């Protein structure tokens, strides 16, 4: 069975793919709106960990809507949840076969957003005849760090410095353009450490 | 790092072990109170899937207490949750080294009991300097079935027929002895399908 793994180039989504490869035919999927070159960066990072990769673009209107939500709310949670759901739905609408497949993301036990409730998951699976999983959601931060240590070399840094390729970066860029860097900054946490894969450690 | 995986001989705990073996030095752990021969059965089932195995016994008073809870409540949830927690704590108190290790169980996304809240997990990890994970809790039933299909041959049947080796069976046996089979039956669901590993399918 195919598994499409939402891929940001960071340690969580990379580990998710590695965890699933024993069970599924994994393909990485990066959501890119074309605002910043996340499509190209994600292609290179996917090669590093050795999985096929594709880019999906849910459309600029979706990113615009997420911006409006963030500005209206004064915080990001709903906007991030919206973008996450739209990415999942775009994978479904891009399907080229009726076969059941798995969509997986890198959500962890400690993550507050994005998240889906159990009933949202049930409805998403049933409506679309697909499976959905968050393989890391049963694991805490320290356990994930241990699993990452054995399988990946990563670099970590502030998100402002370390370019990854998730929709959050494009949301930030569009907010910068819409309301200015200063106001956009108030919506994001002051310090936000990101990770990016540098190399995969293969089994001996 | 070592990972102790709570093992009942069923598909969920077996799959949990297989999922973790890439990342941890897995040892299966079966909780047995010595009421029925779950210790011996679990040893054989552990051999089938190829992992080292140990039996822990939290003490008959714990099983007695769980019985009392079930009788008083008129349902099993609290009793099962209590036995699950006592099993986790017994693994901790049996530790023979100060090294951090992982304790994992086979709880699925759809399982109602046993379960631990996020704050219980946090407290359990911090107090005992260990890690805890429920690797299947990010997966639904159908996804787990697909992963099982690729890795295990299992038999399924009513729990009254198919002897596995979890504390629930011993709880049932002790309730049978205490309040009689008829009354004990009212506490358990009418139909309760169980699974047991028959063979492991190894990678080519």
């Amino acid at each position: 069975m195919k598994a499409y793994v939402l891929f940001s180039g960071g340690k969580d989504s990379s580990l998710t793919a590695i965890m699933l490869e024993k069970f599924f035919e994994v393909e990485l999927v990066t959501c890119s709106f074309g605002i910043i070159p996340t499509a190209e960066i994600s292609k290179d990072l996917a090669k590093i960990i050795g999985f096929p990769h594709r880019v999906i673009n849910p459309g600029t209107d979706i990113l615009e809507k997420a911006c409006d939500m963030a500005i209206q709310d004064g915080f990001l949670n709903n906007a991030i949840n919206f973008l996450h759901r739209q990415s999942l739905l775009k994978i479904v609408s891009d399907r080229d076969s009726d076969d059941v497949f798995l969509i997986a993301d890198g959500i962890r036990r400690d993550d507050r957003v994005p998240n889906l409730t159990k009933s949202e998951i049930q409805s998403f699976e049933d409506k679309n005849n697909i499976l959905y999983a968050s393989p890391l959601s049963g694991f805490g931060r320290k356990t994930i760090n241990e699993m990452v240590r054995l399988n990946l070399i990563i670099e970590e840094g502030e998100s402002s410095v370390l370019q990854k390729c998730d929709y959050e970066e494009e949301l930030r860029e569009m907010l910068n353009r819409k309301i200015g860097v200063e106001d956009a900054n108030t919506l994001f946490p002051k310090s936000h450490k990101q990770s990016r894969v540098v190399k995969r450690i293969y089994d001996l």
Side-chain angles (χ1 to χ4, degrees), chain A residues 122-183:
Chain A
Q122 194 67 55
S123 152
F124 178 55
E125 286 190 333
D126 293 349
K127 258 191 207 160
N128 300 298
N129 191 33
I130 54 99
L131 304 172
Y132 168 80
S134 302
L136 299 188
S137 68
F139 296 89
R141 190 177 51 81
K142 286 182 193 167
T143 312
I144 289 170
N145 286 346
E146 170 67 9
M147 293 191 284
V148 165
R149 190 182 65 80
L150 298 168
N151 288 275
L152 293 166
I153 293 168
I154 55 160
E155 51 184 338
E156 290 189 294
E158 283 298 317
S159 53
S160 50
V161 179
L162 192 74
Q163 195 156 51
K164 268 206 318 179
C165 33
D166 56 4
Y167 43 66
E168 205 173 318
E169 289 202 52
E170 288 189 293
L171 178 63
R172 185 167 203 151
E173 177 59 26
M174 192 174 256
L175 282 165
N176 285 344
R177 294 181 194 176
K178 270 183 186 256
I179 59 173
V181 175
E182 205 171 323
D183 281 355

Side-chain angles (χ1 to χ4, degrees), chain A residues 20-32:
Chain A
L20 290 179
E21 71 182 339
K22 186 185 176 77
F23 306 100
F24 299 93
E25 190 191 326
V26 170
E27 180 167 346
L28 306 175
V29 182
T30 300
C31 173
S32 174

Side-chain angles (χ1 to χ4, degrees), chain A residues 74-94:
Chain A
F75 55 86
L76 292 178
N77 289 13
N78 293 328
I80 298 285
N81 265 328
F82 174 70
L83 289 175
H84 188 69
R85 278 162 181 70
Q86 293 299 322
S87 303
L88 299 177
L89 290 170
K90 182 63 178 166
I91 294 174
V92 171
S93 68
D94 279 1

